[in-house]
Amino acid sequence: MLKNLFIAFVTISSFSAAQAQTTQEQPDADLIVINAKIFTGNPRQAEASALAVRNGRIYSVGSDVDILGLKNSATKVIDARSRRLIPGIIDAHTHVLNDLAYNYSVRWDGVPTLRRALTMLSEQAQRTPEGQWVKVIGGWSPYQFEENRFPTLAELREAVPDHPMIVQYAYNRAFLNKQAMEALGVGTERFPKVPDIEFEKDSHGNPTGVVHGYTWLFLALEGMVPQPTFDEQVSSIVYSVHGLNRTGVTSIIDNGGRWPYPEAQARVAVLARDNRLNVRMPFVDLQLGDGGPVNMVDLEIEAITKTAPISPGQNLHPTLAHGHEYRGAGEVLSGEVHDHENFDRPAVIIEPEKMRRFVEQDVMKLVQRRIPFRMHVSYNENISPFLDGLEKVNETIPLHGLKWSLEHAETISPENIDRVKTLGGGIALDAKMALHADGFIKTYSREKALETPRLRKLVDSGIPLAMTTDAFRAATFNPWVGISWMVSGKSVSGSEVLADNNRLSRAEALKLFTSGAAWFMNAEAELGTIAPGKLADFAVLDRDYFAVPEEQISSISSVLTIMDGKVVYGAQDYSALSPKLPEILPAWSPVKYFGSYHGEK
């Protein structure tokens, strides 16, 4: 009898242990999405209808039936209702940390008529408190408006009669009213002394309020207007990231600005500490100094070795993979060889020997220390001597294994594409031509625009390649505007600006904002496609990118954005899943009333 009881006990114990082991070996999903049209970007499994997420990574991809088999009582199941699902968009060149006053500005991104844009200014002027400015700082183009023109000074002054006002178009020109000119000291010693400023003047020789210039002018002006508090800067990051999530963006590379490391990173740290950073945000850093000529490479090396030591690839976010990694120096490595991309003016050509000397003396220091770098260079005439210098450096200090890239490179030649590839570099293009090609045509010709940039050659070359936005000032942060341009060949005005043989398929265009962009994050094995083991970043779209007419592509947005396996944005059927945003600061912020993009509110 005792023997039989012992055998029964052992049998039951063994069965329980085996059952427990089976449960451990067959983990269940945290999140399942079913009934989706999944574009995986993975050639081994091009399409699927469902996916499962566990511990922030994609666990399985397949059919609804297969994936639902991974469900348990705690699994959250989301029905995509036959919508298109894509990998999370990666913007490999943008400037969130350059716009820490984001909440202070009226966003004209996507506004269809100048009439509506002026009405927004008028409404904002009525709620802006005394002592503050009414501002539009980039992200728009006159060619997006039905009227197809810039606002007049008379229209702007009528819209904003009682506050200082600045309306900035890219890094090309600004419109100032009388109060703004007085505050900035136009015509006096107080106005910034930077090269190549041009004021439009009336018949009496007085400045009208329209000023033309380049990047340094507009950065200087931004420093002269009322500045946000620390808490307002943190709020600006929250709301600019919310705007990115709305378009399906889950990762960005912040490409430097007037807030250098480690100052800007203190703002991000507030969100990282509370796990409220809803986008992966690796960053590159540029050190502008305190004014006047400086060696920016030397300042960068000092910042990362002495001021706040950090190594390339080091992640400042305590829990989020690629959350806030240092990815090196750039995009501006020297003010003296910076070829500002103002397509309303002729190209800025740097003296070739000066460019070569800069590379051999200063970029060489980064290569020696294995610090990744990104170089803003727009025009082929400047790319050639830059590569001359880099080839010389490579002879003695091989670049092999060091991530570096050209940023923008709008007019790069086929020969220089091959040189970049041979040196192991990448090219981060940007979609400014989608907004500004009509101006480019006036300066250079339509024939030149049709091949700018050489999209087909670049894609076919196999070089590491991304398309980016270069937001929030030089262009809009909405990647779908750039995707639309690459596919249709049309700018925001509807004009044909890319030749038929220089356009991309929809899959190719999307790749430049997903798997192609992952290279620049040093995350090709973890991001950019929907596949088991990849980080769980993806977006469910409000319409099928692969089926809608071309003219609808620029209007696509996300209805559900997942980053790190968690919902960071929800709309329509998924509004209840969207995390609640904190109250915006300041309370009078234009973003509170208009949103970050036309149609959001």
Side-chain angles (χ1 to χ4, degrees), residues 111-125:
V111 175
T113 68
L114 180 57
R115 180 176 63 257
R116 175 57 187 156
L118 292 168
T119 299
M120 292 168 69
L121 277 189
S122 180
E123 291 175 4
Q124 185 57 37

Side-chain angles (χ1 to χ4, degrees), residues 283-314:
F283 67 97
V284 296
D285 182 51
L286 68 91
Q287 298 279 334
L288 291 169
D290 297 322
V294 294
N295 187 306
M296 295 170 68
V297 169
D298 287 347
L299 289 180
E300 179 67 19
I301 292 170
E302 182 175 355
I304 66 170
T305 60
K306 296 179 181 179
T307 306
I310 189 171
S311 300
Q314 184 174 334

Side-chain angles (χ1 to χ4, degrees), residues 166 168 170-176 184 186 190-199 210-224 258 338 340 342 345 473:
I166 179 170
Q168 181 179 318
Y171 284 110
N172 296 20
R173 73 180 74 177
F175 301 83
L176 309 169
L184 295 172
V186 172
R190 289 192 294 114
F191 195 80
K193 296 178 178 61
V194 295
D196 302 309
I197 297 174
E198 178 189 331
F199 275 98
V210 180
V211 57
H212 302 260
Y214 293 115
T215 311
W216 309 133
L217 167 65
F218 300 107
L219 290 180
L221 294 184
E222 185 63 18
M224 297 175 70
R258 70 187 187 97
H338 187 61
H340 312 266
N342 179 339
R345 290 182 167 192
R473 301 181 180 198

Side-chain angles (χ1 to χ4, degrees), residues 357-373:
R357 188 166 57 248
F358 154 70
V359 176
E360 292 177 36
Q361 293 179 358
D362 290 315
V363 175
M364 177 268 297
K365 299 172 188 175
L366 300 173
V367 178
Q368 281 180 322
R369 293 165 176 81
R370 310 312 287 175
I371 298 171
F373 61 90

Side-chain angles (χ1 to χ4, degrees), residues 80-99:
R81 295 179 172 85
S82 297
R83 292 186 176 96
R84 176 64 65 180
L85 187 153
I86 63 168
I89 289 177
I90 302 168
D91 189 345
H93 181 133
T94 190
H95 296 277
V96 167
L97 299 181
N98 199 35
D99 268 284

